């Protein structure tokens, strides 16, 4: 068993090889407060909920389509899952009759049973392959108290927007009419999706868990209500007494323009016109052994032509390329990342991207609409009580600013948490203080020139 130090809170794990996460290799981790310490809120019971989306196509079929000419998109998922359970209409055309049985008891809704009058901490995590979600419990308010393992200044929502890779803790009191049950619902937002809402049952004891709620399920917010999603993000601030103040300035700024490109006929996602691909030899081994020939030594661009680039028009694919180069960061330096969203290759289309950083938490310094103004927007950064997270969204035609300290020796991925986008090159890698990493175990020497 491996012991490690971790901050109390809610986290997730998942596979990172190919698209294995989509196939179901994931889970949730709870880190409890040390003995004798308490959390800044109270509750009676603690429950976990993992939200996901589900495809009928295998990950191999999806990956093949994404890597093909002509390009074959994965499309919208067939179902949304709440703790692994969802629904699908078996009468859908082209579905083989004997492979779809909606009457199977295993297809019943997930049921969360609650005792009237009690307060529940729901640890909610999203590991969707594609979908940004709205989560709600019919006729009940939720108080957000934690995000990605950090305590939040509490605020009340009826709709919780959650992006792939994020975790939240909410407090909910079972204080409604206990003679009936209520719907729990998840809905795709940020995409005009055909996927039906995910449903589960909020079951008041002693009602039968299979008793259907009397009301129709909530329809949720409009899929393109960006303002509400940004408003929630702006409410997420660190709780007084648990504020980790950010450095007032940074040592380096990297601006990352999120675009689509075509490279040699293949559709790719790119950062500053460079689409990421992995080398055959793992970076950590290559760097420790000084194997300079196994990946591109020219660093990726740290910005784009922000004065002349039109984020509202499809990219012109000038000098689009792919690379396995990495950003080399000075150890213990402070780095600002500006995530800038732009138009895809489809006219009048810009997508939501949840970006996730390995090995660090970062301060969320600010959000904005339109093109980031490097002269004026930093003056608006939240230096007082910014939340620290490991995953954050950047909205259509908008920007998000992050700050982190490069103080964890190693090689760390920073990528869009939408599985198909990462597969198509939407990611980068940071190296910092690799000389401080100890001797590597022989058990990891099996790929590329590491053999």
């Amino acid at each position: 068993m491996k012991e490690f130090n971790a901050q109390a809170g809610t986290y997730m794990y998942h596979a990172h090889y190919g698209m294995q996460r989509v196939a179901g290799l994931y889970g949730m981790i709870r880190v409890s407060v040390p003995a004798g310490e308490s959390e800044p809120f109270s509750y009676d019971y603690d429950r976990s909920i993992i939200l996901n989306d589900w495809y009928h196509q295998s990950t191999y079929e999806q990956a093949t389509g994404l890597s093909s000419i002509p390009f074959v998109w994965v499309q919208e998922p067939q179902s949304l899952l709440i703790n692994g359970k969802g629904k699908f209409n078996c009468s859908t055309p082209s579905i083989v009759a004997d492979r779809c049985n909606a009457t199977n008891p295993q297809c019943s809704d997930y049921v969360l049973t609650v005792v009237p009058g009690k307060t529940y901490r729901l640890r909610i995590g999203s590991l969707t392959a594609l979908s940004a979600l709205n989560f709600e419990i019919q006729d009940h308010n939720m108080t957000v108290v934690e995000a990605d393992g950090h305590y939040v200044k509490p605020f009340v929502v009826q709709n919780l927007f959650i992006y792939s890779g994020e975790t939240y803790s909410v407090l909910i009191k079972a204080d409604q009419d206990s003679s009936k049950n209520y719907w729990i619902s998840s809905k795709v937002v940020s995409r005009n999706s055909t996927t039906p809402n995910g449903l589960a049952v909020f079951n008041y004891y002693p009602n039968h868990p299979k008793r259907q709620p009397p009301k129709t399920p909530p329809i949720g917010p409009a899929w393109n209500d960006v303002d509400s999603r940004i408003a929630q993000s702006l409410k997420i601030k660190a709780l007084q007494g648990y504020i980790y103040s950010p450095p007032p300035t940074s040592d380096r700024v990297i601006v990352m323009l999120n675009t689509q490109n075509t490279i040699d006929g293949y559709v790719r996602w790119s950062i500053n016109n460079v689409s990421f691909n992995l080398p055959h030899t793992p970076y950590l081994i290559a760097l420790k052994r000084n194997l300079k020939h196994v990946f591109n030594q020219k660093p990726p661009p740290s910005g784009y032509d922000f004065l002349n680039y039109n984020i509202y028009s499809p990219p012109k694919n000038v000098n689009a390329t792919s690379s396995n180069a990495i950003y080399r960061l000075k150890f213990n330096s402070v780095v600002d990342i500006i995530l800038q969203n732009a138009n895809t290759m489809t006219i009048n289309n810009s997508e939501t991207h949840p970006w996730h950083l390995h090995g660090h938490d970062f301060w969320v310094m600010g959000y904005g609409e339109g093109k980031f103004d490097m002269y004026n927007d930093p003056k608006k950064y939240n230096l007082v009580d910014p939340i620290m997270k490991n995953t954050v969204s950047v909205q259509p035609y908008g920007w998000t600013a992050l700050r982190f300290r490069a103080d964890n020796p190693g090689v760390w991925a920073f990528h869009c948490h939408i599985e198909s986008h990462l597969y198509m090159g939407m990611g980068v890698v940071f190296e910092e203080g690799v000389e401080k990493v100890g001797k590597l175990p022989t058990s990891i020497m099996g790929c590329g020139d590491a053999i």
Side-chain angles (χ1 to χ4, degrees):
M1 178 184 236
K2 175 69 174 174
E3 292 186 2
F4 59 94
N5 293 320
Q7 180 167 306
T10 309
Y11 305 91
M12 293 183 293
Y13 66 88
H14 60 83
H16 233 304
Y17 181 79
M19 297 176 70
Q20 287 182 343
R21 189 186 92 218
V22 182
L25 187 47
Y26 58 78
M28 184 174 281
I29 297 173
R30 296 183 188 181
V31 179
S32 301
V33 295
E37 294 186 16
S38 60
E39 295 177 292
F41 46 83
S42 60
Y43 50 90
D44 299 300
Y45 299 103
D46 196 339
R47 302 289 184 263
S48 298
I49 295 177
I50 295 181
L51 305 175
N52 217 322
D53 45 18
W54 185 254
Y55 286 89
H56 290 181
Q57 273 195 328
S58 71
T59 56
Y60 301 106
E61 292 172 301
Q62 293 179 52
T64 298
L66 296 173
S67 306
S68 296
I69 300 176
F71 176 72
V72 181
W73 176 235
V74 297
Q75 303 299 332
E76 300 300 310
Q78 280 68 53
S79 302
L80 295 181
L81 307 184
I82 300 177
N83 268 3
K85 291 196 170 187
K87 289 289 182 67
F88 180 74
N89 184 358
C90 290
S91 63
T92 302
S94 79
I95 297 299
V96 180
D98 62 355
R99 296 186 64 184
C100 188
N101 178 11
T103 63
N104 189 318
Q106 292 184 338
C107 295
S108 60
D109 296 321
Y110 168 71
V111 176
L112 175 61
T113 299
V114 297
V115 176
K118 298 298 183 180
T119 298
Y120 289 77
R121 177 183 185 170
L122 303 185
R123 301 174 186 257
I124 305 167
S126 173
L127 280 167
T128 52
L130 176 66
S131 310
L133 298 175
N134 171 72
F135 177 86
E136 62 182 300
I137 299 177
Q138 191 174 50
D139 296 343
H140 290 72
N141 289 329
M142 298 176 286
T143 301
V144 181
V145 294
E146 179 214 352
D148 288 0
H150 290 271
Y151 297 131
V152 170
K153 183 178 179 181
F155 63 96
V156 177
V157 298
Q158 289 183 322
N159 298 285
L160 178 71
F161 298 107
I162 183 168
Y163 305 90
S164 182
E166 287 189 315
T167 63
Y168 288 97
S169 283
V170 302
L171 301 181
I172 182 167
K173 188 169 184 178
D175 59 1
Q176 297 300 301
D177 182 356
S178 62
S179 67
K180 56 187 179 182
N181 292 339
Y182 300 82
W183 290 111
I184 302 173
S185 177
S186 63
K187 176 186 178 176
V188 176
V189 294
S190 86
R191 304 180 65 85
N192 191 8
S193 177
T194 56
T195 308
N197 291 3
L199 294 175
V201 176
F202 196 69
N203 166 233
Y204 271 82
Y205 181 84
N207 298 336
H208 196 284
K210 291 189 177 181
R211 180 192 289 181
Q212 288 282 297
K215 292 185 179 180
T216 57
I219 60 173
W223 70 270
N224 56 355
D225 183 1
V226 178
D227 290 344
S228 293
R229 301 203 299 272
I230 293 176
Q232 175 183 295
S233 296
L234 292 172
K235 288 180 181 178
I236 302 174
K237 301 181 187 301
L239 179 64
Q240 190 69 34
Y242 297 88
I243 297 173
Y244 300 92
S245 298
T249 60
S250 64
D251 302 304
R252 183 176 180 181
V253 178
I254 302 174
V255 182
M256 297 186 177
L257 177 71
N258 298 335
T259 64
Q260 279 182 326
N261 298 94
T262 53
I263 302 174
D264 298 327
Y266 294 95
V267 177
R268 301 284 293 177
W269 280 98
S270 303
I271 304 302
N272 298 334
N273 257 6
V274 178
S275 186
F276 178 72
N277 56 51
L278 285 165
H280 294 295
T281 303
Y283 287 110
L284 189 58
I285 296 172
L287 290 162
K288 291 295 289 183
R289 290 187 170 184
N290 201 29
L291 304 176
K292 294 184 178 181
H293 65 284
V294 300
F295 68 90
N296 189 341
Q297 296 298 299
K298 181 181 178 180
S302 292
Y304 72 105
D305 184 7
F306 80 99
L307 288 175
N308 298 308
Y309 191 93
N310 185 357
I311 66 169
Y312 299 102
S313 295
K316 297 178 180 179
N317 292 315
V318 177
N319 298 323
T321 186
S322 61
S323 175
N324 54 22
I326 63 177
Y327 292 96
R328 309 291 294 268
L329 306 179
K330 182 179 179 181
F331 186 71
N332 211 38
S333 64
V334 178
V335 182
D336 278 2
I337 304 294
I338 313 301
L339 296 168
Q340 175 67 66
N341 241 347
N343 207 99
T344 67
M345 291 194 297
T346 302
I347 295 174
N348 297 325
N349 176 258
S350 181
E351 299 190 12
T352 300
H353 300 286
W355 276 82
H356 173 67
L357 178 59
H358 291 206
H360 306 75
D361 287 341
F362 48 73
W363 291 276
V364 182
M365 305 304 292
Y367 300 88
E369 299 179 49
K371 188 184 292 186
F372 179 79
D373 183 339
M374 66 175 58
Y375 302 111
N376 294 306
D377 284 328
K379 300 174 185 176
K380 307 171 189 174
Y381 285 173
N382 179 8
L383 295 170
V384 178
D385 55 0
I387 191 64
M388 296 193 78
K389 295 180 95 271
N390 58 58
T391 305
V392 72
S393 64
V394 54
Q395 298 295 339
Y397 300 114
W399 57 265
T400 302
L402 321 174
R403 179 169 293 173
F404 73 97
R405 187 176 291 279
D407 58 359
N408 191 3
V411 183
W412 306 105
F414 181 49
H415 61 89
C416 178
H417 214 265
I418 294 174
E419 194 80 329
S420 52
H421 290 186
L422 173 59
Y423 186 85
M424 295 164 63
M426 199 172 196
V428 299
V429 167
F430 298 124
E431 177 276 325
E432 60 202 59
V434 73
E435 70 280 357
K436 301 179 183 296
V437 176
K439 183 178 179 181
L440 302 180
T442 57
S443 59
I444 70 171
M445 306 296 178
C447 297
D449 286 7
I451 299 175

